[in-house]
Amino acid sequence: MSAENGTNGIPDTPAGSTPPAGPRPEPIRFYGTTWVNHDNGYAARRAGLSVGSLAAAAAACFVLRIAYQGLQIADIGSFVSLLMIVMFAICSALAFRHTWSAFTSRPDPDRQASLRGLLAIGFVGSLLAYFFRTFAEAPGEKLHRAEYDKAREDYEKRTTRRSGNPSKKRRR
């Protein structure tokens, strides 16, 4: 059984041994490569991260409520208060949708950079998307598993084709 090195999720190999042949699975944040075989505390991580993301979302809502109360105390008007509520609701909904879709397909880096501000404002939606996704799988596991299985399949095709002595190959 190999341990993860903690820095990038790639399993450590003991001195003198060769690393496993073929593609390596891409680590998922907070899970490392435990998503491949669902081992080394995978279920506990999912449960802990689910509770943690819900607690973070609740704490964020509490902070937003304090900010709203600060606006009420400042007596800046009902229009600005309403505008703030609508802004956080829309940004949270968009952030939820974007985060949810990022679990099933790789997001475009340019679009990701352009949405950075919106995702920062709607961070509650991102936390809730993470919370709900942990009920089914590690967030992004389905995407990573499909890519890893495809890479393993391609590797197997490449290695099984190489059989026989190439010097005895018939020339055309």
Side-chain angles (χ1 to χ4, degrees):
M1 181 168 284
S2 64
E4 289 183 19
N5 63 12
T7 57
N8 57 7
I10 298 172
D12 287 332
T13 54
S17 69
T18 59
R24 290 186 177 185
E26 183 179 349
I28 297 176
R29 181 182 295 168
F30 304 123
Y31 292 93
T33 56
T34 60
W35 61 269
V36 176
N37 297 321
H38 294 188
D39 58 355
N40 294 336
Y42 171 82
R45 288 182 194 196
R46 268 187 50 198
L49 287 168
S50 176
V51 169
S53 62
L54 184 61
C61 288
F62 179 71
V63 169
L64 289 175
R65 177 159 169 79
I66 290 173
Y68 178 74
Q69 288 176 342
L71 289 176
Q72 283 183 328
I73 291 170
D75 195 28
I76 58 171
S78 60
F79 177 71
V80 175
S81 297
L82 179 66
L83 193 61
M84 186 186 113
I85 291 170
V86 170
M87 176 196 64
F88 273 105
I90 290 172
C91 289
S92 291
L94 291 172
F96 181 94
R97 175 70 178 115
H98 179 76
T99 304
W100 190 266
S101 67
F103 294 142
T104 56
S105 64
R106 297 266 182 199
D108 179 32
D110 294 333
R111 184 170 184 264
Q112 184 83 7
S114 68
L115 291 176
R116 188 170 290 133
L118 180 126
L119 294 175
I121 294 170
F123 63 100
V124 174
S126 293
L127 289 169
L128 291 175
Y130 198 90
F131 168 72
F132 287 119
R133 192 59 171 202
T134 55
F135 286 122
E137 64 180 8
E141 179 182 345
K142 187 175 187 180
L143 173 66
H144 284 77
R145 187 167 304 281
E147 291 173 350
Y148 179 63
D149 289 345
K150 175 81 169 108
R152 292 290 302 168
E153 182 181 305
D154 292 346
Y155 176 78
E156 293 297 325
K157 284 181 183 178
R158 283 192 313 267
T159 56
T160 55
R161 261 190 261 162
R162 298 178 190 155
S163 60
N165 187 348
S167 67
K168 294 187 180 212
K169 184 177 176 183
R170 285 181 37 198
R171 304 281 180 199
R172 290 188 170 173

